[in-house]
């Protein structure tokens, strides 16, 4: 009898607390519509008090196949550019590829096509992201364009081959930075292309052929490293933007090389953690963009929630881009994670997809759904410091990483804010009408 009474009291306490939390949320969330085609005009003005003087706003997403999240991010990017003075959009995409794409787009008769190639196809070919590319295209020759760049170190992108090699050698020649034998430069080019097309080449190799190719790449890296290591300090003495681009691209290649080779199958690199190296370099690139490439400009980051989060990883020794940024002492950054109650996700290339089951009864998503709002912003960091909002600091379930509940966390320690989409629609491949609009 006593145990039944305790259980009943516990249930009543939880139910009453949950109801109070839902009522509190209703008063403090900022509802919006992610669909600009609806006759709803979003009022994001309240976000200004939450974002404040942040110089970098990072926008996450759950899986890279989250169509409704993409739409929400497009609306946020436009707001940040129009009303909060953010002038740079940094994709979770290869730094030099994004930079080159934007530079070429500025003088191209078909700039939209170049802008769509500035990032990975996950976004460049997603129907839900096309309004953003059109927005950037429309502003590209205005007094306040939205500059495009990237933070990733992976060697992926349409502009990494001829749009790097030929301009690179022409540039160092024009600055009288050429050195070494012709054979050395030829080896540099061969090695660069070997790295660039490594995945494609390996698909056509089997067994001993594959091992021999990787072994050759590993052994010949010294010529490449010697050439770049001697050239980078010379480029760094030049204050021009193009010199900065070339230098940072080469620095990324050198720093990421062990992870790139390890990921391809080189076995004598046992202590290389691909994810850790990548996130650390993305953090370095973002800090470099803020301090060196675009000083004084406010930056928007488009990336996965797993990269922008802090204090969220389960394994000792792991760290995210967000963790590395925090360790570097930057405190002018605002991170926004995303989550959903139900729906479906799917990458535009169909590589990953899945149904999103309705959220757990004891999760934050369940609280969010009970507010009655389909889509909203919640300023976790600010509100968790208020008297009646302190409950947000409790460890609770939420699934912003791949729609999987990993462990209970105090979410204001992970993200500064969260975007809730009740029903997630999958990302879809770009239509012909979007290409020509």
């Amino acid at each position: 009898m006593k145990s039944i009474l305790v259980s009943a009291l516990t249930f009543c306490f939880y139910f009453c607390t949950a109801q109070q939390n839902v009522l509190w949320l209703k008063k403090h969330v900022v509802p919006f519509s992610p669909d600009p085609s609806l006759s709803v005009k979003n009022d994001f003005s309240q976000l200004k008090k939450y974002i404040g003087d942040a110089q970098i706003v990072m926008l996450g997403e759950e899986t890279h196949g989250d169509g409704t999240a993409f739409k929400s991010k497009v609306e946020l990017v436009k707001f940040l550019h129009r009303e909060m003075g953010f002038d740079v959009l940094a994709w979770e995409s290869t730094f030099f590829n994004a930079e080159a794409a934007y530079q070429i787009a500025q003088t191209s008769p078909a700039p939209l096509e170049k802008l769509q190639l500035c990032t990975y196809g996950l976004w460049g070919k997603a129907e839900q992201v096309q309004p953003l590319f059109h927005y950037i295209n429309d502003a590209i020759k205005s007094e306040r364009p939205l500059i495009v760049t990237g933070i990733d170190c992976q060697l992926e992108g349409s502009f990494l081959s001829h749009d790097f090699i030929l301009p690179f050698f022409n540039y160092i020649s024009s600055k009288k930075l050429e050195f070494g034998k012709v054979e050395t430069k030829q080896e540099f080019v061969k090695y660069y292309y070997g790295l660039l097309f490594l995945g494609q080449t390996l698909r056509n190799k089997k067994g001993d052929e594959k091992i021999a190719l990787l072994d050759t790449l590993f052994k010949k890296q010294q010529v490449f490293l010697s050439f770049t290591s001697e050239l980078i300090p010379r480029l760094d003495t030049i204050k021009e933007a193009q010199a900065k681009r070339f230098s940072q691209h080469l620095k990324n290649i050198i720093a990421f090389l062990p992870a790139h080779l390890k990921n391809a199958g080189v076995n004598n690199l046992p202590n290389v953690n691909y994810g850790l190296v990548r996130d650390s370099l993305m953090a370095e690139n973002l800090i470099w963009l803020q301090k060196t490439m675009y000083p004084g400009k406010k930056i928007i980051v488009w990336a996965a929630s797993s990269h922008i989060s802090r204090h969220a990883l389960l394994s000792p020794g792991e760290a995210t881009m967000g963790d590395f940024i925090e360790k570097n002492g930057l405190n002018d950054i605002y991170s926004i994670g995303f989550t959903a109650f139900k729906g479906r996700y799917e990458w535009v290339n169909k590589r990953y997809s899945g149904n999103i089951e309705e959220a757990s009864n004891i999760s934050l998503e369940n609280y969010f759904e009970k507010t009655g709002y389909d889509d909203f912003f919640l300023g976790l960091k600010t509100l968790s410091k208020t008297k009646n909002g302190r409950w947000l600091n409790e460890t609770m379930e939420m699934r912003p990483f791949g729609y999987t509940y990993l462990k209970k966390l105090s979410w204001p320690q992970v993200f500064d804010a969260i975007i809730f989409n009740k029903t997630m629609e999958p990302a879809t491949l770009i239509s012909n009408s979007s290409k020509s609009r």
Side-chain angles (χ1 to χ4, degrees):
M1 185 68 180
K2 184 178 179 180
S3 62
I4 294 174
L5 180 60
V6 171
S7 297
L9 289 172
T10 301
F11 173 79
C12 289
F13 176 77
Y14 171 78
F15 179 78
C16 291
T17 302
Q19 287 293 98
Q20 289 175 350
N21 291 343
V22 170
L23 290 172
W24 183 90
L25 283 169
K26 283 184 177 181
K27 296 177 182 178
H28 292 89
V29 300
V30 182
F32 70 94
S33 171
D35 193 343
S37 65
L38 300 177
S39 57
V40 178
K41 186 175 181 180
N42 289 321
D43 181 9
F44 286 128
S45 59
Q46 291 185 62
L47 271 61
K48 293 179 181 179
K49 69 180 180 182
Y50 293 110
I51 295 171
D53 296 328
Q55 298 300 297
I56 298 175
V57 170
M58 302 196 290
L59 305 176
E61 61 195 47
E62 298 92 333
T63 71
H64 294 331
D66 320 292
T68 312
F70 290 178
K71 286 183 176 181
S72 302
K73 292 170 75 170
V74 169
E75 294 304 297
L76 284 167
V77 170
K78 290 192 287 188
F79 162 74
L80 291 168
H81 178 245
R82 286 171 178 162
E83 299 189 36
M84 291 199 69
F86 285 79
D87 289 323
V88 180
L89 174 61
W91 295 89
E92 180 197 324
S93 300
T94 306
F95 160 73
F96 187 83
N97 185 76
E99 284 277 335
Y102 185 72
Q103 295 303 310
I104 293 170
Q106 287 178 293
T107 57
S108 171
L112 184 62
E113 295 176 10
K114 311 303 179 185
L115 293 172
Q116 289 165 332
L117 293 170
C118 74
T119 185
Y120 302 142
L122 296 167
W123 302 300
K125 295 180 180 180
E127 178 70 25
Q128 293 79 4
V129 188
Q130 297 315 302
L132 178 56
F133 292 117
H134 286 274
Y135 177 83
I136 298 169
N137 182 58
D138 292 343
I140 200 166
K141 293 183 180 179
S142 69
E143 292 182 3
R144 271 199 64 222
L146 181 56
I147 300 165
V148 171
T149 186
I151 57 171
D152 208 347
C153 52
Q154 297 182 118
L155 289 173
E156 296 182 27
S158 305
F159 297 91
L160 293 182
S161 54
H162 294 302
D163 293 298
F164 169 69
I165 288 294
L166 293 177
F168 172 64
F169 278 108
N170 287 338
Y171 186 81
I172 63 174
S173 176
S174 70
K175 299 299 178 182
K176 298 181 170 49
L177 299 179
E178 288 190 291
F179 63 92
K181 300 177 181 177
V182 173
E183 292 81 2
T184 302
K185 284 186 281 188
Q186 290 173 341
E187 286 298 315
F188 169 89
V189 174
K190 286 180 184 177
Y191 196 85
Y192 179 81
Y193 278 115
L195 292 175
L196 201 59
F197 299 107
L198 183 57
Q200 181 179 326
T201 305
L202 289 176
R203 282 195 289 272
N204 301 319
K205 304 288 182 181
K206 294 181 180 179
D208 292 342
E209 272 190 315
K210 180 177 179 179
I211 294 171
L213 173 63
L214 290 171
D215 187 54
T216 300
L217 267 177
F218 182 70
K219 289 177 179 177
K220 288 190 173 183
Q221 65 179 316
Q222 195 53 50
V223 174
F224 179 85
L225 293 174
S226 296
F227 183 85
T228 52
S229 297
E230 189 172 344
L231 186 58
I232 286 171
R234 299 185 183 191
L235 285 169
D236 286 342
T237 63
I238 303 171
K239 303 306 179 184
E240 296 173 2
Q242 190 71 319
K244 294 176 182 178
R245 292 187 189 99
F246 289 140
S247 176
Q248 191 68 8
H249 182 45
L250 294 175
K251 289 174 184 175
N252 274 323
I253 295 173
I254 292 173
F256 194 59
L257 185 56
H260 187 63
L261 293 177
K262 175 70 174 178
N263 190 56
V266 175
N267 295 319
N268 49 347
L269 295 165
N271 298 319
V272 177
N273 183 320
Y274 187 94
L276 192 65
V277 173
R278 184 181 171 213
D279 271 75
S280 69
L281 290 175
M282 286 199 292
E284 287 182 20
N285 281 334
L286 180 54
I287 294 168
W288 178 84
L289 285 170
Q290 184 194 40
K291 293 183 176 180
T292 304
M293 193 69 187
Y294 301 108
K297 292 191 179 294
K298 297 164 81 171
I299 301 173
I300 307 164
V301 176
W302 182 302
S305 292
S306 57
H307 292 307
I308 72 169
S309 65
R310 308 178 302 268
H311 316 299
L313 294 175
L314 303 176
S315 304
E318 294 288 325
T320 66
M321 175 178 69
D323 291 323
F324 283 112
I325 289 170
E326 186 178 66
K327 288 177 183 176
N328 274 276
L330 294 188
N331 54 14
D332 55 357
I333 292 182
Y334 197 86
S335 61
I336 305 176
F338 282 69
T339 193
F341 181 75
K342 62 180 180 179
R344 181 173 175 78
Y345 68 90
E346 185 169 64
W347 289 22
V348 293
N349 61 10
K350 312 293 184 183
R351 185 176 178 183
Y352 297 107
S353 63
N355 294 321
I356 306 165
E357 300 299 326
E358 287 195 3
S360 160
N361 288 333
I362 59 171
S363 67
L364 273 172
E365 287 91 356
N366 189 54
Y367 283 172
F368 295 162
E369 191 272 338
K370 291 185 182 304
T371 64
Y373 295 117
D374 288 343
D375 306 278
F376 63 73
F377 168 97
L378 178 65
L380 289 173
K381 182 174 72 172
T382 301
L383 293 171
S384 67
K385 296 176 182 177
T386 63
K387 181 180 178 180
N388 294 326
R390 289 174 186 166
W391 66 274
L392 291 170
N393 292 307
E394 298 171 10
T395 55
M396 290 179 282
E397 287 189 349
M398 191 164 68
R399 54 181 188 186
F401 309 122
Y403 305 107
T404 300
Y405 293 112
L406 300 176
K407 69 174 182 178
K408 293 181 178 181
L409 292 169
S410 174
W411 292 101
Q413 302 300 313
V414 181
F415 301 113
D416 298 315
I418 199 79
I419 292 285
F420 173 70
N421 301 121
K422 179 180 177 180
T423 304
M424 184 59 61
E425 299 293 337
T428 53
L429 191 64
I430 185 173
S431 65
N432 289 329
S433 61
S434 293
K435 293 177 184 178
S436 59
R437 187 168 63 248

